[in-house]
Amino acid sequence: MKKKESIILVGCKGSGKSTQGKKLAEQLGYEFYDTDLIIKEISGMTPRDLYKIQGVKAFKIAETQASELIKSMSSEKNMVVASGGGVCDNPDAMALLKDSGILVHIKVPTKFAVSRCMNKIKINEKGEFENVPSFIKLKGNDTMFSISKSLFNCLKFRAEKYTYYADVTVDIKKASKKQAYESILKAVKKFIK
């Protein structure tokens, strides 16, 4: 079995896992994978649609299958993986990802992550919310304030879980994308050749 050198990026929605992961993979000469895209290949739906249409159970099954695929591939090659923002709520998937490589938690201030999510939420001409994360929408939130509050509580709790699971946490606070990337690269280089 090869030494774990794959990098698994975890963190809340809006923390920059995909953006930073692509740059990191290019720098290290690793392949890049995004579990959201793997879930789409497995299920034929985006993760949001799968969650919304088929429910939490179907979503977690696909997420676990994606994590199994990552674990299988990690025994053959080094890679950088951007995980989904809520994978910490799926212990089976988290265990598989932890076994696949070095778990790097990209930690951003909860208010920042909430702001990024809230900026995508719109109210259509029918007065309905669009682009609300499915895990929040299912809780029956009916105002921007209640959505924001639910997001804050959920993302704060998830950040604590990611810190618990991670091999290393990189707190990027209010860093620019470049500064965040440099901090992540520095942390990762302590674990790989």
Side-chain angles (χ1 to χ4, degrees):
M1 186 170 132
K2 76 173 193 55
K3 182 181 171 203
K4 282 192 343 183
E5 287 193 2
S6 289
I7 309 300
I8 314 299
L9 301 176
V10 298
C12 291
K13 182 176 183 61
S15 62
K17 298 176 301 290
S18 295
T19 300
Q20 299 295 345
K22 290 172 188 172
K23 291 166 78 174
L24 197 58
E26 185 177 326
Q27 172 70 30
L28 298 172
Y30 288 8
E31 290 186 45
F32 175 76
Y33 294 92
D34 187 319
T35 59
D36 284 350
L37 297 177
I38 296 171
I39 289 169
K40 187 175 180 181
E41 286 180 31
I42 290 169
S43 69
M45 292 186 226
T46 65
R48 179 176 288 194
D49 287 344
L50 178 63
Y51 195 101
K52 190 164 83 176
I53 295 166
Q54 294 188 12
V56 177
K57 185 176 180 181
F59 173 79
K60 285 187 176 185
I61 289 169
E63 187 174 53
T64 300
Q65 290 171 338
S67 299
E68 287 170 344
L69 182 60
I70 292 295
K71 184 171 192 273
S72 173
M73 290 188 301
S74 73
S75 66
E76 304 295 321
K77 59 186 166 188
N78 290 323
M79 62 183 101
V80 175
V81 177
S83 68
V87 71
C88 64
D89 294 334
N90 184 341
D92 293 337
M94 277 301 295
L96 288 161
L97 292 175
K98 188 151 178 79
D99 285 347
S100 301
I102 301 146
L103 223 56
V104 179
H105 172 205
I106 302 177
K107 184 177 179 183
V108 297
T110 304
K111 285 182 180 179
F112 175 79
V114 170
S115 176
R116 287 191 72 180
C117 292
M118 292 300 294
N119 286 339
K120 294 178 182 176
I121 298 172
K122 305 292 179 222
I123 301 175
N124 66 22
E125 61 278 351
K126 295 178 185 176
E128 300 166 336
F129 293 108
E130 293 180 348
N131 300 320
V132 176
S134 296
F135 64 91
I136 295 298
K137 202 169 191 176
L138 293 178
K139 293 182 181 178
N141 292 289
D142 59 356
T143 67
M144 290 294 258
F145 177 78
S146 65
I147 292 169
S148 178
K149 186 176 177 182
S150 291
L151 269 170
F152 183 87
N153 292 334
C154 179
L155 297 181
K156 185 175 189 294
F157 183 66
R158 284 180 174 178
E160 292 168 3
K161 282 184 179 182
Y162 284 125
T163 298
Y164 170 79
Y165 280 115
D167 295 307
V168 62
T169 294
V170 181
D171 191 344
I172 59 173
K173 295 182 178 87
K174 294 181 181 179
S176 67
K177 285 183 182 180
K178 182 179 181 189
Q179 291 168 327
Y181 168 74
E182 289 168 356
S183 296
I184 296 164
L185 182 61
K186 182 178 178 183
V188 162
K189 284 192 171 184
K190 293 177 182 176
F191 289 88
I192 61 175
K193 295 178 195 172

